[in-house]
Amino acid sequence: MKTENTTKFIIKGLGGKKTLNGKIEVSGAKNAVLPALASSILFKDKFCISNVPDIKDVENINILLERLGASIEKKQGKKYCIDTNNIKLTNLDTEISKKMRGSIVLAGPTLARFGKVSFPYPGGCVIGTRPIDAFLNGFKKMGARVKIEKDIYTVSVSKGKKLKGANVFFDRVTVTGTETLMLAGVVAEGKTILKNSAMEPEIKDIADFLNSCGAKIKGAGTSTIEITGTGGKLLSAKNKIYKTMPDRIEAGSFLILGALTGDNLEIINCNPEHIRILINILKKSGVPIKEGKNKIIIEGNGKLKNKNFKCVDIITHEYPGFPTDLQSPMVVYLTQVNGQSLVFETIFEGRLNYTNELIEMGADIIMWDPHRIMVKGPTQLKGRELSGPDLRAEFAFFISAIIAKGESVINNVRYIDRGYEQIEKRLKNIGVDIVRIKN
Ligand code: EPZ
């Protein structure tokens, strides 16, 4: 859509001052709501979900479901109810699926319920090649055939047959790979054992809800997940509602922003436990952080200086390690603290390219190889025009623009709107000078 691409944000930087104050609320987690919406395909009655963030990815997943034949009611208070009983089609819409990697999570439950699914090579943030071998190998192990024609994958089981439980060992820990095979195993015939699974909290969160509706999933949130399939029998929500858990990446992004620019700032409706590693690292670096029930507090009282914070090495790792989705916001933090920090991005081979734009702002960053950079601080950043290559680097540019001297223009707004609902309203509320300009 033209406006989507030409809309920009203008941010006036604080020039190093720490004046952000008040409360910023965390929304429901984008990467929890996607597998949750996909799991609606496993239900014979309505699947309802609350605390759903108002973001583009949710809109797109809902369109994917509606184009399969599902009906979706938007209720009061960020709640949706999905009825999948009229699904007739099993081909995921190509245009939408190419926009977001999360679309592939629909493949598992669709294949398990209807015996067939087709989808394009999924799109999403340009942070690496992002292969789908784990999904295809898993589906084959569960008795499905995979055909590829003109970039469309068609996965199916023989007529009248069901997907079978299987033992799958993931050669690479994959979040959406774990999610889609776990969902497929729920209604497959027999037992599925997933080894070297992802342990993200979003996986355990949805598994717990599915178990309350008749699924038999053991070990979600650990590296071995055992699913006893229902042999085709669908789940029933019986008026239970799945409440989307708080977005830990939003919470971590706001905490890093607060560490750099907060005077007295509260991050509310979050779960500090889900970003334990970030809290520990920032405390080690010298940031005074207090925790309350579902909130994190930074109390500077005008006495904190970023140049007194200590440098710290960062190695991204699957949960509960340092999240790759917080790597770019953390690099902005490291440009402001005292000393040299090594950042090792172990998950994606293309997730450090955004640093060129930080260097243009005045950051001192040397790239050793596609996975490692050295960041030297403190450096004064100057505002400029910025275009993020992915959702999380886009928010990192928000942070760099807010700490910089002068004004910044941030393009690629579509990335931000994919994952951070009403972001300018929430930032304005704590004192950021930001406007959205629709050309
Ligand atoms: C999920 O992506 C998240 N997206 C990503 O968040 C997040 O960065 C990533 O997990 C890692 O935490 C959603 O949950 C929708 P992976 P996913 O499969 O599942 C390789 C955001 O900004 N791999 O865990 O696509 C892959 O190339 C997004 O919210 C294979 O080799 O990531 C990568 O190197 C960005 N073969 C590694 O595994 C496969 O079949 C981890 O990828 C699958 C993955």
Side-chain angles (χ1 to χ4, degrees):
M1 212 166 49
K2 186 146 170 12
T3 44
E4 210 179 47
N5 292 335
T6 51
T7 309
K8 337 169 160 308
F9 285 107
I10 311 280
I11 292 177
K12 280 204 180 54
L14 298 175
K17 289 197 298 299
K18 295 164 104 52
T19 54
L20 300 192
N21 269 300
K23 293 183 167 65
I24 185 162
E25 185 166 355
V26 172
S27 308
K30 165 177 92 80
N31 293 347
V33 85
L34 297 180
L37 289 174
S39 70
S40 63
I41 294 172
L42 302 175
F43 284 79
K44 66 182 174 196
D45 52 10
K46 273 188 189 167
F47 172 88
C48 293
I49 175 172
S50 66
N51 193 33
V52 178
D54 173 19
I55 54 176
K56 208 85 185 121
D57 272 15
V58 169
E59 197 182 304
N60 282 330
I61 280 271
N62 285 340
I63 296 171
L64 282 178
L65 284 164
E66 283 171 334
R67 288 192 182 161
L68 290 178
S71 47
I72 298 177
E73 291 165 76
K74 186 160 180 351
K75 307 266 192 186
Q76 283 300 323
K78 301 187 170 196
K79 191 172 123 188
Y80 290 81
C81 283
I82 297 111
D83 182 340
T84 57
N85 276 309
N86 297 325
I87 286 186
K88 301 264 179 305
L89 301 172
T90 58
N91 56 312
L92 299 185
D93 177 279
T94 304
E95 191 205 335
I96 300 266
S97 304
K98 281 187 175 297
K99 282 185 186 166
M100 49 180 289
R101 171 83 179 188
S103 58
I104 197 164
V105 182
L106 288 166
T110 306
L111 174 64
R113 178 170 176 178
F114 302 105
K116 187 175 179 188
V117 65
S118 56
F119 51 87
Y121 190 94
C125 294
V126 187
I127 51 180
T129 46
R130 306 188 83 178
I132 59 169
D133 53 302
F135 300 79
L136 303 177
N137 296 338
F139 293 148
K140 286 180 199 161
K141 284 240 166 109
M142 297 175 89
R145 271 189 317 284
V146 177
K147 259 184 13 206
I148 308 170
E149 263 169 63
K150 298 194 203 73
D151 196 26
I152 299 289
Y153 294 80
T154 300
V155 188
S156 59
V157 291
S158 318
K159 218 152 182 51
K161 289 254 193 260
K162 289 208 182 332
L163 215 52
K164 292 217 169 326
N167 291 344
V168 176
F169 188 96
F170 291 109
D171 296 345
R172 286 280 317 240
V173 174
T174 161
V175 175
T176 46
T178 301
E179 289 166 345
T180 202
L181 293 184
M182 180 177 82
L183 296 181
V186 167
V187 296
E189 216 155 46
K191 187 173 276 191
T192 297
I193 299 179
L194 306 177
K195 290 209 166 160
N196 198 25
S197 301
M199 304 193 277
E200 268 65 6
E202 293 79 14
I203 297 170
K204 181 177 182 332
D205 204 59
I206 189 60
D208 289 347
F209 180 75
L210 296 179
N211 283 339
S212 75
C213 300
K216 288 191 179 57
I217 305 168
K218 278 198 285 200
T222 75
S223 63
T224 299
I225 304 176
E226 200 174 285
I227 308 114
T228 306
T230 63
K233 189 166 163 290
L234 296 176
L235 305 180
S236 170
K238 293 195 199 72
N239 304 321
K240 278 191 285 300
I241 299 176
Y242 172 71
K243 182 172 191 278
T244 311
M245 61 185 264
D247 192 316
R248 60 192 167 92
I249 304 303
E250 259 203 4
S253 308
F254 297 155
L255 178 55
I256 292 168
L257 173 67
L260 287 171
T261 58
D263 185 21
N264 291 307
L265 190 67
E266 271 190 48
I267 298 151
I268 60 174
N269 287 359
C270 66
N271 182 339
E273 204 41 50
H274 289 161
I275 48 171
R276 181 56 55 211
I277 193 159
L278 173 66
I279 292 172
N280 290 354
I281 285 174
L282 288 176
K283 279 183 176 170
K284 205 169 82 180
S285 175
V287 181
I289 297 172
K290 282 198 198 130
E291 292 175 41
K293 190 159 174 11
N294 304 330
K295 65 180 172 183
I296 302 172
I297 302 151
I298 287 187
E299 266 169 11
N301 301 321
K303 296 201 275 304
L304 293 178
K305 292 227 177 315
N306 293 337
K307 66 178 184 343
N308 297 335
F309 294 150
K310 292 193 284 301
C311 56
V312 60
D313 292 344
I314 298 292
I315 303 177
T316 64
H317 190 277
E318 294 83 3
Y319 191 88
F322 193 91
T324 173
D325 291 349
L326 288 178
Q327 175 255 105
S328 49
M330 193 64 194
V331 164
V332 177
Y333 173 84
L334 297 173
T335 67
Q336 300 304 300
V337 303
N338 189 18
Q340 292 201 73
S341 308
L342 170 72
V343 177
F344 188 176
E345 169 54 61
T346 66
I347 310 273
F348 292 108
E349 71 281 12
R351 206 168 199 180
L352 289 168
N353 302 331
Y354 68 91
T355 50
N356 295 327
E357 302 219 28
L358 290 184
I359 293 166
E360 296 289 317
M361 292 183 86
D364 180 346
I365 299 175
I366 300 165
M367 185 170 274
W368 284 1
D369 60 39
H371 288 276
R372 290 179 304 167
I373 56 174
M374 184 59 89
V375 185
K376 193 158 174 289
T379 50
Q380 169 68 56
L381 301 183
K382 282 179 285 315
R384 68 190 301 275
E385 184 151 0
L386 298 157
S387 306
D390 71 77
L391 166 64
R392 306 304 176 184
E394 191 75 0
F395 192 82
F397 287 168
F398 270 56
I399 300 175
S400 62
I402 293 167
I403 52 178
K405 216 179 167 78
E407 187 174 279
S408 294
V409 175
I410 303 193
N411 303 310
N412 286 356
V413 164
R414 65 186 183 287
Y415 279 127
I416 277 287
D417 289 338
R418 278 192 51 197
Y420 297 89
E421 73 171 337
Q422 297 182 348
I423 190 63
E424 69 268 33
K425 185 163 160 266
R426 288 190 281 169
L427 291 177
K428 258 189 210 141
N429 282 348
I430 56 173
V432 176
D433 183 339
I434 177 171
V435 282
R436 179 188 290 250
I437 309 280
K438 281 200 175 71
N439 284 352

